[in-house]
Amino acid sequence: MKTKKIHFYSIILSGIFVFIFIAGCKNNKRETIFSDKMTELKIDSILSLMTLEEKIGQMTLFTSDWDVTGPTMQSGYKENIRRGRVGAIFNAYGVRYVRDMQRLAVDSTRLHIPLMFGYDVIHGYKSIFPIPLGEAASWDMEAIEKSARIAAIEASAEGLNWTFAPMVDIARDPRWGRISEGAGEDPYLGSMIAKARVKGFQNNDLAANNTLLACAKHYVAYGAAIAGRDYNTVDISDRTLRETYLPPFHAAVEAGVGTIMSAFNEINGIPATGNRYTLRVILKDEWKFQGFVVTDYTSINEMVPHGIVANEKEAGELALNAGVDMDMQGAVYNNYLSGSIKEGKVDIKFVDDAVRRILRMKYALGLFDDPYRYCDEQREKELVMSKDNLEFARKIAKKSIVLLKNKGHLLPLRKETGVIAVIGPLADNKKELIGSWSAAGDYNKCITLLKGIERKVAPETKIIYSKGCNIDDDSTTRFDEAIAAARQADVVIVAVGEGAWMSGEAASRSSLRIPGVQEDLVKRIYETGKPVVVVLMNGRPLTIAWMDSYIPAILETWFLGTMAGDAIADVLFGDYNPSGKLPVSFPRSIGQVPLYYNFKNTGRPISESKWTSKYLDMPNTPLYPFGYGLSYTDFKYSEITLSDSVMNMNGTLKISVTVANTGQKEGEETVQLYIRDMVASITRPVKELKGFRKISLKPGESRQVDFEILAKDLMFYDSEMKLIAESGEFKVFVGTDSENTKKAGFVLK
Ligand code: NOJ
């Protein structure tokens, strides 16, 4: 019955298409990266059949009543679908549900236009991978792409075709909880990761039924919220916007991302959702973005409290004129837009353009060929949380771990260690491991650290577990038991950090301390004199200066997802040699925030002299710099060799170093390339990441690593905001992190 119906509709639509095609040929419609000429003509034909209400319906996205990812719910969303007043649904999944909703749209509406189904598939769908900041620490683009790929395969097998990811906001203030959702502080690394994630979700083939339409968010500068408080004001120069916050979005657009989400924040007095400059001028005109812009959750409505419009109707007008195509959950377009058009407050051409962009993506997804193409119970059963996916979850979790300290080679531990005490509120905790935004993930499926250790050690090894305290309260009543456990042990592993709820959206903190009494617990355990390994779990850089001074071994494990416990045990016991590098600086104290490696030199760079740019009470440097991470082996860098000491504007420069594994274990190293433009018409940062290579070396092995740079890699925005490269002296740095590098220089002519 169902197939027959679809068949019938396609015949009618095809007839109309032929007619419009002939008429449209004169129109000379251009193809886009998402569509060919024929598709654009088909869209013309649909547009010509649509009423204004139906058009506005396509521009509307509603949440289901399953899940809450924002402050409002819509009652009666099903009725809205039936009336053709909805273009897409989010916050629901599963083949049965999606099929039912799709049927409602396709069968009940006049034009039978299928819905899209979106969800926040951020770091895995049901097989949960490390939080994005954690994955970024892998510096492994192939693994990051694969993580998004698997998430897309699982989610699309459960009926979804759109994810609100990747989150590509640069974040330099760890108080901001959403730092956990992105790729850290650097625009270059952030851009590479943005590309990898878009590629992973979309796989350059939206028409396949195992890919998801991606959505780069939150456009733009959301991470620059004053004081790290979520949703707060952003006051930013055009230069910082273009140099730091826009590049990952541009990279996502270049990688073919199909949608962009407009952010909650204002940018220099104009909310991002009503910002014509960022949306229409930069995104749509300058970058020629051909997908569509969706708002964040009710961010059109929020322009009223922002104080830029008097009411929701005006908010809708501002948004549409600025370039917003789809209203997430606010119902502003649905409620007011037809009135605004009739009054001439917005031009119908913006509505047509928005609907065209939305239909273009529906065509690209193949929904007009088969609206039920993501609805196959068999695929759902076979593909979700498969053995291979979980194996990969463990692999990428291992790669995301950063070894922060390893004094006296305490790690790796011997599997035959006599007695191991496993202590801490995160040691046997499943709930926090999947982090925030864990989609359809079930934390009950997580492998805890305790479990991972139990599975790893020799049968005769004795493990004593004690929780020690809670994550976030003042009670020390369990301390004695934990200390007694530590006293009996040969080595103590303490798992401390944040709860998953402490990062992500609406989760800013005014402190970067490990919450509650956890640090006191670590201090008391340290006082037993036993060797202590701290395993950190957290969604942001924490201030751990005390631990860095006293605790011999520290592992940063973020929130690693479903297979966390096994992955951490792999590293603790040496089955995997840690290779993660920090994608964000770890400050010594919150007073240094915002702190990032590519700062400017100032006119009074820090020195012994009093009158320089520094703090009285602590160094300017972070506790652990951007790019930092240790290994169980040692890598030695040769001096840098340059192909020439002079580079021409249209030439290339080859930069080489030889890296040797001088330790005892096979290991991976991320070789990082930074440059500095010494004198320019606009002051430049003291270092800027321009490339990196992740290599694997056996003990005793060495390899030459080559980078190539072109003048375009040395460009910056001049005083007129034009991209240029200026001749003059440059420094080149290659090394193991942003501070520890070899140095050379060349002249650009
Ligand atoms: C609000 C969040 O800011 C955004 O990241 C998310 O995609 C939407 N809600 C939808 O859940």
Side-chain angles (χ1 to χ4, degrees):
M1 175 64 188
K2 183 190 84 196
T3 14
K4 252 198 203 155
K5 247 188 190 163
I6 295 172
H7 199 63
F8 171 71
Y9 298 138
S10 4
I11 292 173
I12 302 229
L13 280 176
S14 315
I16 299 167
F17 293 153
V18 172
F19 171 74
I20 300 285
F21 179 71
I22 298 164
C25 280
K26 291 182 214 132
N27 264 342
N28 197 18
K29 273 265 143 20
R30 261 197 257 122
E31 56 193 13
T32 74
I33 61 160
F34 301 109
S35 59
D36 54 17
K37 266 189 191 170
M38 184 60 167
T39 306
E40 293 298 309
L41 290 169
K42 287 178 183 172
I43 295 172
D44 282 342
S45 80
I46 301 184
L47 276 169
S48 71
L49 296 172
M50 290 174 99
T51 63
L52 181 57
E53 264 60 38
E54 283 165 339
K55 288 179 182 172
I56 295 168
Q58 287 304 307
M59 297 163 71
T60 296
L61 166 64
F62 280 145
T63 178
S64 75
D65 45 13
W66 281 36
D67 208 350
V68 183
T69 55
T72 63
M73 290 298 294
Q74 286 288 334
S75 54
Y77 73 96
K78 289 187 189 162
E79 186 46 33
N80 276 306
I81 297 177
R82 196 173 290 118
R83 289 173 43 230
R85 303 302 311 263
V86 184
I89 289 291
F90 72 117
N91 281 343
Y93 50 86
V95 164
R96 262 187 55 194
Y97 177 88
V98 168
R99 189 187 288 121
D100 286 352
M101 290 306 110
Q102 193 67 294
R103 187 166 291 148
L104 206 54
V106 172
D107 288 2
S108 320
T109 61
R110 196 176 69 94
L111 293 173
H112 321 292
I113 299 175
L115 295 168
M116 285 173 31
F117 290 87
Y119 199 43
D120 288 285
V121 182
I122 309 287
H123 52 111
Y125 175 67
K126 282 192 175 165
S127 303
I128 299 295
F129 307 127
I131 56 167
L133 187 65
E135 281 193 1
S138 73
W139 293 56
D140 185 330
M141 298 308 113
E142 219 177 281
I144 290 173
E145 182 182 328
K146 187 160 178 195
S147 154
R149 187 75 214 95
I150 294 176
I153 290 171
E154 288 196 359
S156 59
E158 293 220 334
L160 296 168
N161 42 43
W162 186 18
T163 176
F164 305 131
M167 191 277 217
V168 303
D169 295 312
I170 296 298
R172 296 175 157 193
D173 190 332
R175 290 173 294 186
W176 191 51
R178 305 202 78 169
I179 196 170
S180 61
E181 296 174 48
E185 74 185 38
D186 183 60
Y188 179 85
L189 180 62
S191 299
M192 301 299 280
I193 291 177
K195 269 190 208 167
R197 290 195 166 127
V198 169
K199 219 167 144 225
F201 287 127
Q202 299 191 166
N203 205 26
N204 292 328
D205 187 9
L206 285 175
N209 69 353
N210 65 1
T211 56
L212 294 177
L213 178 62
C215 180
K217 69 185 189 185
H218 308 82
Y219 191 74
V220 56
Y222 184 34
I226 291 175
R229 210 180 67 220
D230 207 2
Y231 317 121
N232 205 6
T233 307
V234 170
D235 192 6
I236 196 172
S237 69
D238 202 28
R239 177 171 310 285
T240 304
L241 187 66
R242 287 194 180 258
E243 284 185 356
T244 304
Y245 291 88
L246 283 171
F249 286 96
H250 197 193
V253 170
E254 288 193 326
V257 75
T259 64
I260 298 275
M261 186 184 292
S262 68
F264 291 125
N265 55 286
E266 70 157 70
I267 306 159
N268 305 334
I270 302 178
T273 293
N275 202 305
R276 196 178 162 278
Y277 173 58
T278 53
L279 292 170
R280 222 175 261 295
V281 176
I282 297 179
L283 178 66
K284 289 185 170 174
D285 294 346
E286 202 175 308
W287 297 351
K288 315 250 173 295
F289 173 63
Q290 293 152 344
F292 70 84
V293 175
V294 60
T295 69
D296 204 341
Y297 208 106
T298 59
S299 65
I300 299 184
N301 318 55
E302 291 167 27
M303 293 203 282
V304 178
H306 267 295
I308 192 137
V309 284
N311 52 47
E312 290 189 348
K313 177 168 164 290
E314 286 181 11
E317 291 158 6
L318 183 61
L320 186 65
N321 284 329
V324 165
D325 303 307
M326 187 184 268
D327 171 3
M328 181 194 285
Q329 185 60 8
V332 173
Y333 282 179
N334 240 340
N335 292 339
Y336 305 106
L337 209 51
S338 58
S340 302
I341 302 238
K342 279 166 204 147
E343 288 167 24
K345 295 280 171 46
V346 286
D347 194 329
I348 184 74
K349 79 169 188 236
F350 288 150
V351 171
D352 285 343
D353 181 56
V355 178
R356 170 179 300 284
R357 287 166 182 269
I358 292 160
L359 295 181
R360 187 180 282 154
M361 299 323 303
K362 291 189 175 184
Y363 268 107
L365 288 167
L367 288 169
F368 280 100
D369 293 333
D370 176 7
Y372 304 98
R373 61 206 312 271
Y374 300 90
C375 299
D376 174 350
E377 272 93 355
Q378 193 55 30
R379 288 181 61 225
E380 185 170 39
K381 221 182 292 155
E382 277 165 16
L383 298 175
V384 177
M385 289 196 98
S386 68
K387 196 165 152 271
D388 285 355
N389 295 358
L390 292 177
E391 224 161 74
F392 175 76
R394 180 171 179 167
K395 185 169 164 193
I396 190 156
K398 289 189 285 203
K399 283 173 176 276
S400 304
I401 294 172
V402 184
L403 178 63
L404 296 176
K405 192 179 170 196
N406 195 19
K407 194 170 162 210
H409 293 281
L410 175 57
L411 291 177
L413 302 173
R414 285 176 46 249
K415 291 178 190 162
E416 299 75 23
T417 304
V419 182
I420 302 177
V422 181
I423 296 175
L426 287 155
D428 194 27
N429 181 317
K430 290 186 171 186
K431 203 164 174 194
E432 313 309 328
L433 292 181
I434 55 176
S436 75
W437 292 116
S438 38
D442 174 2
Y443 67 76
N444 288 306
K445 303 246 162 70
C446 285
I447 309 295
T448 68
L449 175 59
L450 180 63
K451 184 87 195 155
I453 294 172
E454 283 168 353
R455 298 216 277 217
K456 181 66 74 179
V457 294
E460 50 289 357
T461 297
K462 186 173 167 203
I463 293 174
I464 313 171
Y465 164 72
S466 172
K467 185 173 178 190
C469 62
N470 289 325
I471 293 173
D472 195 19
D473 67 29
D474 297 341
S475 171
T476 55
T477 51
R478 288 183 168 123
F479 273 25
D480 288 347
E481 178 201 292
I483 289 150
R487 287 217 169 92
Q488 295 171 58
D490 298 305
V491 63
V492 187
I493 298 168
V494 198
V496 290
E498 299 182 301
W501 78 94
M502 291 179 169
S503 55
E505 189 180 353
S508 294
R509 292 182 61 204
S510 67
S511 161
L512 300 178
R513 283 190 55 248
I514 299 179
V517 291
Q518 295 180 86
E519 199 165 40
D520 299 335
L521 175 69
V522 177
K523 285 181 182 163
R524 296 286 304 278
I525 290 167
Y526 165 76
E527 282 161 14
T528 64
K530 299 289 179 170
V532 179
V533 179
V534 164
V535 173
L536 288 172
M537 298 183 188
N538 45 294
R540 55 160 63 74
L542 296 174
T543 45
I544 53 164
W546 180 86
M547 290 207 291
D548 180 65
S549 301
Y550 295 96
I551 299 298
I554 308 172
L555 272 189
E556 174 55 75
T557 74
W558 321 102
F559 296 115
L560 289 179
T562 314
M563 301 302 284
D566 283 332
I568 301 170
D570 285 338
V571 169
L572 286 172
F573 294 91
D575 286 341
Y576 181 76
N577 186 354
S579 66
K581 301 273 191 177
L582 295 177
V584 62
S585 309
F586 272 43
R588 295 169 195 275
S589 143
I590 195 162
Q592 294 178 304
V593 164
L595 178 68
Y596 44 90
Y597 82 93
N598 54 351
F599 57 89
K600 301 276 187 86
N601 204 36
T602 80
R604 292 189 176 190
I606 186 169
S607 76
E608 291 296 302
S609 154
K610 172 177 168 55
W611 313 102
T612 57
S613 177
K614 64 185 175 200
Y615 300 104
L616 290 177
D617 51 357
M618 82 173 40
N620 285 1
T621 51
L623 184 64
Y624 305 117
F626 174 80
Y628 171 85
L630 303 173
S631 163
Y632 292 155
T633 194
D634 300 307
F635 297 106
K636 191 161 180 284
Y637 282 68
S638 71
E639 294 304 320
I640 298 172
T641 323
L642 300 180
S643 55
D644 205 335
S645 57
V646 174
M647 175 182 166
N648 290 323
M649 277 293 174
N650 49 10
T652 56
L653 183 76
K654 195 166 134 195
I655 301 159
S656 311
V657 286
T658 300
V659 183
N661 180 345
T662 55
Q664 307 300 315
K665 288 191 156 34
E666 183 170 356
E668 290 160 275
E669 167 71 337
T670 299
V671 183
Q672 301 160 37
L673 167 75
Y674 300 86
I675 62 112
R676 176 172 177 188
D677 188 340
M678 297 306 290
V679 180
S681 58
I682 300 291
T683 59
R684 305 304 304 146
V686 294
K687 260 174 203 160
E688 290 177 90
L689 184 69
K690 290 292 171 182
F692 57 88
R693 300 263 185 292
K694 192 158 186 173
I695 56 167
S696 175
L697 293 174
K698 298 210 162 53
E701 192 183 349
S702 56
R703 180 154 337 135
Q704 181 173 321
V705 178
D706 300 324
F707 297 95
E708 223 174 54
I709 53 173
L710 307 167
K712 77 169 174 42
D713 301 314
L714 307 173
M715 285 181 157
F716 61 90
Y717 291 94
D718 70 5
S719 55
E720 322 275 70
M721 294 308 289
K722 288 209 187 68
L723 260 185
I724 57 156
E726 279 178 357
S727 52
E729 191 195 337
F730 285 80
K731 288 265 179 290
V732 180
F733 311 86
V734 181
T736 188
D737 61 54
S738 59
E739 281 183 1
N740 200 340
T741 58
K742 299 286 182 186
K743 194 158 96 180
F746 69 94
V747 171
L748 178 67
K749 277 212 165 128

